[in-house]
Amino acid sequence: MYRRTQRTDVLRLGHVLAGLTYPAAKWQLVAHADHYGADAVSRAQLWSLPPGTYGDLAAVCQALGLLPARRPVPQAR
C-alpha cells in the first residue's frame, strides 16, 4: 500500500487522464476516467470538480487543490 499525498494524487490522476484531449469539460474527464477503469478515489475526485472546462491536467489538479493556482503574468507597460 502506498501513502497518499498530493504528489501521488497528481501522478495517479495523470495516469488516469493520459491520452485525454484538452480542453475538456468535467463530463469528459469523468467519462475518460470511467473508460480507463479508474479507482474509486480518482472517480470521487473528478466528480467533486466544479462544472466547467479545464485546459490541462494542471488546471484539473489546481481545481482539486493539489497544485497551487497559477499566478497571473504581469503585463508590460
Side-chain angles (χ1 to χ4, degrees), residues 3-77:
R3 181 170 170 233
R4 194 172 152 212
T5 65
Q6 287 181 330
R7 183 176 185 275
T8 59
D9 280 356
V10 170
L11 292 172
R12 181 178 30 74
L13 287 171
H15 288 289
V16 169
L17 298 176
L20 178 65
T21 302
Y22 291 94
K26 175 184 173 175
W27 72 266
Q28 292 171 304
L29 299 168
V30 172
H32 187 85
D34 284 342
H35 181 73
Y36 172 85
D39 60 287
V41 173
S42 297
R43 288 194 318 270
Q45 285 178 311
L46 294 173
W47 273 109
S48 75
L49 286 168
T53 301
Y54 297 87
D56 55 19
L57 177 62
V60 172
C61 292
Q62 288 165 353
L64 292 170
L66 300 174
L67 293 175
R70 294 178 181 156
R71 290 191 228 167
V73 178
Q75 298 296 319
R77 291 185 177 215

